[in-house]
Amino acid sequence: MSTPFPFTAVVGQDDLRLALLLNAVSPAVGGVLVRGEKGTAKSTAVRALSALLPEVAVVPGCRFSCDPAAPDPACPDGPHEAGTGAVRPARMVELPVGASEDRLVGALDIERALAEGVKSFEPGLLAQAHRGILYVDEVNLLHDHLVDLLLDAAAMGASYVEREGVSVRHAARFLLVGTMNPEEGELRPQLLDRFGLTVEVAASREPEQRVEVVRRRLAYDDDPAGFAARWADEETAVRHRIVAARELLPSVRLGDGALRQIAATCAAFEVDGMRADIVMARTATALAAWAGRTDVLAEDVRQAALLALPHRRRRNPFDAPGLDEDRLDDTLEEFSGQDEGDDDPDPDPGGGGGQPAPDSGQDGGDGAARPDAGEGGEPQTSGGREQSAARAAEPFRTRVLSVPGIGEGAAGRRSRARTEHGRTTGARRPQGTLTALHLAATVRAAAPHQRARGRTGPGLLLRRDDLRQAVREGHESNLVLFVVDASGSMAARQRMGAVKGAVLSLLLDAYQRRDKVGLVTFRGTAADVALPPTSSVDAAAARLESLPTGGRTPLAAGLLRAHEVLRVERLRDPARRALLVVVTDGRATGGPEPVALAGRAARLFAAGQVASVVVDCESGPVRLGLAGRLADELGGTAVTLDELRADSIAGLVRDVQGTQRRAG
């Protein structure tokens, strides 16, 4: 077994180390989500923590790590009699991004069921992680249904498995740690909320600290065992402190004053639900125990807020996590002197001292998009000159746009696909490795041959030809490539604000459906790839926000650039199907025969059977219908900005699949 990098040798990253230690003291805090760029010691710190956890006593032979002093009465390997047991180190179990549901929660032992006719449960990673650490690297790339399962287990302290005739419940209490790089995509807000604490990590900009990081890493790589030995005393001291804090934790008193500060802070920052209050209370209690105190102080509440609230304040996926520390201090000070006799609390604890809310860029405020004013209040024109970036209008819920047919791409929520997870629609002979056994179909295939094979016992006699693969249908994620017209014909401030609002709405939809997105813009004389295909939808939103407008309309250049982007992406990820979304009024100017050239470029997508939709941005009393013609050339459909809304009075829900059927 390799020697882990010592936890106490990690340079800097104070918040990360504190959050991990607080969960080691009190797993009820709810785990840690570590967000940060690559190369910031996220994984190193998590793996190092496992060496600090106290050893655990387990019932010998129990696959579910029951405590011999208080064995789980519902343990599938039980019942166990209380008594002394074996001692082993706390485990750190790693959940791979590509793990199956069976690997996570466990499943019927197919081999024993078929060979012996015995119904037996094979434990998964949740059982292995009981009383230890469950670590998920790149948790933002984990399939949503797996995230739901492990977060439910972390919240309840138990895993429930009801499948394939197996009904099992076993204890699953573990320290949940997830790491992620936000550049590769965000977690959904409701999943973010299920993590107790979150920390942002970044590489130090201090040269001396960076030098020390390199020095320690090189020393560890040269002699891991020797390096660890030099930090053994510090590691032992922290290990003993964790044990002492755990023993002190039940004695820590969370007074009414601290509870009022917690409640007032959560109300002031307008977090949803009550989970934040509970997590803050548990974190503050763990902080007091870690400091060796039996009373929770205001400083504990403040630190708990900094760890537990930033990720709960996000109102949409494009908001960066963060907390206004001045407002936090004001709230804590305001409620620091209140006790049970106070009957006149501040009627508006969330008002932030009367300060105005930050400008959201939405309609109705001073920063809202206006048809006659640009940045700084200067008038805008729609001529050929480059205009400053217009602010996006408020996003809305969009209609469902899907790719026709049945794909086989990565799991998601947009288009129909054959996936590893979903409803079972049939069975087939396996092509290659068997990944999901269809039990009933396998039994049906083997049953007629049992007498000829000489079966005498209770189990089935199987051959490889009997095995059947389950065919499951669910939904996949797609590559949604936006091609946005940023030319002068789109430059009116009110109009471009509405267009950006529509694209932002589609980006939100792509985020919720776990799509990859890309952004191509065209104006002047050329087209640019503003954002290559990525899972970071918020990066696309940021590029959209700063998009300037002006100049001619090189529609053909935009389509050709998009065609090249899709060609390259198809080589990288051939299973992921694409959805082209062209946002334009359909005009084409500049160069010889711009309209004909744009038509030829559009027919490339039709020939490649790329699903497409044109968001028609033409406005005014006289409409030329150019966007509709472009949609016909693409073999797709056109929708107006109003029809794009899910709640519009446009009639039936329109999607790409239906319109392509009509076009065919």
Side-chain angles (χ1 to χ4, degrees):
M1 180 178 177
S2 61
T3 303
F5 192 91
F7 186 85
T8 52
V10 175
V11 179
Q13 308 298 11
D14 295 339
D15 287 345
L16 169 58
R17 292 190 293 167
L18 178 61
L20 291 172
L21 290 169
L22 292 177
N23 274 271
V25 171
S26 174
V29 166
V32 187
L33 176 65
V34 188
R35 298 164 41 93
E37 58 198 19
K38 51 188 176 293
T40 49
K42 300 188 298 293
S43 300
T44 298
V46 175
R47 292 189 172 98
L49 179 67
S50 61
L52 296 179
L53 296 182
E55 292 184 328
V56 294
V58 297
V59 174
C62 178
R63 298 173 298 167
F64 301 88
S65 300
C66 278
D67 185 349
D72 182 3
C75 175
D77 283 355
H80 306 299
E81 293 184 2
T84 58
V87 176
R88 63 161 175 79
R91 291 175 181 155
M92 192 197 78
V93 177
E94 189 162 352
L95 173 61
V97 169
S100 66
E101 185 175 336
D102 289 348
R103 186 75 184 97
L104 178 63
V105 301
L108 177 69
D109 189 332
I110 298 296
E111 184 177 348
R112 292 194 63 190
L114 294 179
E116 304 175 23
V118 175
K119 190 186 300 182
S120 175
F121 179 71
E122 185 175 0
L125 294 177
L126 291 179
Q128 294 181 31
H130 179 46
R131 304 175 69 196
I133 299 174
L134 182 62
Y135 173 48
V136 189
D137 193 14
E138 307 295 351
V139 65
N140 51 321
L141 304 182
L142 194 67
H143 292 166
D144 283 352
H145 71 284
L146 295 183
V147 177
D148 290 336
L149 286 171
L150 71 90
L151 290 177
D152 284 343
M156 296 185 295
S159 175
Y160 294 84
V161 183
E162 301 281 350
R163 54 193 308 177
E164 296 168 339
V166 174
S167 178
V168 172
R169 175 264 179 207
H170 65 82
R173 291 183 296 276
F174 47 81
L175 194 170
L176 176 64
V177 183
T179 58
M180 59 174 283
N181 183 349
E183 295 177 356
E184 297 173 343
E186 288 282 1
L187 275 175
R188 290 183 289 129
Q190 55 267 46
L191 299 183
L192 272 175
D193 183 58
R194 298 297 295 272
F195 280 93
L197 310 179
T198 187
V199 291
E200 297 278 339
V201 296
S204 172
R205 297 298 182 258
E206 294 294 331
E208 290 303 318
Q209 196 171 74
R210 296 175 74 96
V211 167
E212 187 61 24
V213 170
V214 175
R215 182 181 291 120
R216 293 186 186 183
R217 186 70 212 190
L218 293 178
Y220 171 77
D221 290 342
D222 289 341
D223 182 11
F227 183 82
R230 291 196 292 275
W231 290 88
D233 291 343
E234 289 83 351
E235 294 282 286
T236 301
V238 173
R239 190 179 298 110
H240 290 164
R241 188 175 175 184
I242 291 174
V243 173
R246 284 185 173 185
E247 294 174 350
L248 183 62
L249 187 65
S251 303
V252 175
R253 191 181 76 89
L254 183 64
D256 289 343
L259 277 173
R260 284 177 179 271
Q261 286 185 318
I262 290 171
T265 301
C266 292
F269 286 100
E270 299 179 350
V271 296
D272 296 329
M274 294 298 298
R275 185 175 284 118
D277 304 61
I278 297 170
V279 170
M280 272 190 67
R282 289 172 173 165
T283 305
T285 303
L287 279 162
W290 178 248
R293 289 184 269 100
T294 57
D295 287 310
V296 174
L297 305 180
E299 62 194 63
D300 300 322
V301 176
R302 185 182 192 279
Q303 184 64 59
L306 292 174
L307 293 172
L309 295 188
H311 60 301
R312 293 185 165 89
R313 295 200 62 243
R314 302 180 71 197
R315 288 297 176 261
N316 67 65
F318 308 138
D319 292 338
L323 208 64
D324 185 341
E325 295 193 29
D326 291 337
R327 187 176 181 185
L328 172 61
D329 291 336
D330 290 343
T331 303
L332 293 176
E333 183 178 356
E334 180 180 353
F335 285 85
S336 62
Q338 292 193 9
D339 55 29
E340 294 183 4
D342 291 333
D343 295 323
D344 188 26
D346 181 24
D348 184 20
Q355 297 178 3
D359 178 17
S360 64
Q362 298 178 356
D363 292 341
D366 292 339
R370 296 189 299 272
D372 59 347
E375 304 293 340
E378 295 181 3
Q380 284 288 327
T381 63
S382 58
R385 299 188 305 276
E386 179 177 311
Q387 309 297 321
S388 58
R391 290 190 177 183
E394 184 175 357
F396 51 85
R397 188 165 64 90
T398 65
R399 293 184 179 279
V400 178
L401 304 174
S402 61
V403 178
I406 300 179
E408 295 182 346
R413 292 197 174 95
R414 183 170 297 279
S415 306
R416 292 175 60 199
R418 286 183 288 270
T419 61
E420 292 184 3
H421 310 282
R423 62 186 182 90
T424 300
T425 59
R428 59 174 173 79
R429 292 182 182 272
Q431 300 171 350
T433 303
L434 179 70
T435 57
L437 180 73
H438 194 297
L439 184 58
T442 299
V443 171
R444 285 196 300 269
H449 308 292
Q450 296 304 294
R451 180 176 297 178
R453 294 174 184 174
R455 171 186 167 186
T456 58
L460 288 175
L461 294 179
L462 291 176
R463 293 180 180 173
R464 184 169 183 81
D465 289 345
D466 299 329
L467 300 179
R468 294 294 183 268
Q469 173 85 25
V471 177
R472 294 172 176 165
E473 184 175 312
H475 287 84
E476 66 177 0
S477 62
N478 298 116
L479 166 59
V480 182
L481 182 61
F482 294 91
V483 182
V484 180
D485 185 348
S487 64
S489 66
M490 304 278 288
R493 299 287 294 176
Q494 190 173 29
R495 184 180 181 189
M496 197 59 197
V499 169
K500 285 188 175 183
V503 178
L504 187 63
S505 303
L506 290 167
L507 283 171
L508 281 166
D509 182 66
Y511 170 85
Q512 293 163 352
R513 298 182 189 280
R514 303 304 295 269
D515 294 316
K516 290 181 70 174
V517 297
L519 179 62
V520 173
T521 64
F522 59 93
R523 64 188 180 92
T525 60
D528 296 312
V529 180
L531 185 72
T534 176
S535 297
S536 182
V537 178
D538 53 338
R543 303 292 171 87
L544 177 72
E545 187 68 25
S546 60
L547 178 66
T549 57
R552 293 184 179 274
T553 312
L555 177 57
L559 294 174
L560 291 173
R561 180 58 63 91
H563 188 269
E564 177 64 17
V565 169
L566 293 183
R567 185 189 69 80
V568 173
E569 193 65 19
R570 194 176 296 115
L571 295 175
R572 293 175 179 167
D573 189 359
R576 189 182 294 272
R577 298 187 294 164
L579 173 64
L580 182 74
V581 178
V582 185
V583 185
T584 181
D585 56 8
R587 298 176 186 271
T589 60
E593 300 183 344
V595 176
L597 186 59
R600 288 197 294 272
R603 287 192 288 275
L604 292 175
F605 294 94
Q609 296 185 324
V610 177
S612 59
V613 60
V614 177
V615 179
D616 184 359
C617 303
E618 192 174 27
S619 60
V622 179
R623 297 175 182 251
L624 303 179
L626 298 176
R629 289 186 223 168
L630 175 62
D632 291 339
E633 298 279 9
L634 288 166
T637 185
V639 295
T640 65
L641 290 175
D642 288 337
E643 291 172 336
L644 190 63
R645 292 178 177 270
D647 55 355
S648 68
I649 316 175
L652 298 175
V653 173
R654 305 173 62 177
D655 62 12
V656 177
Q657 183 174 2
T659 54
Q660 290 224 344
R661 282 201 301 265
R662 290 195 295 272

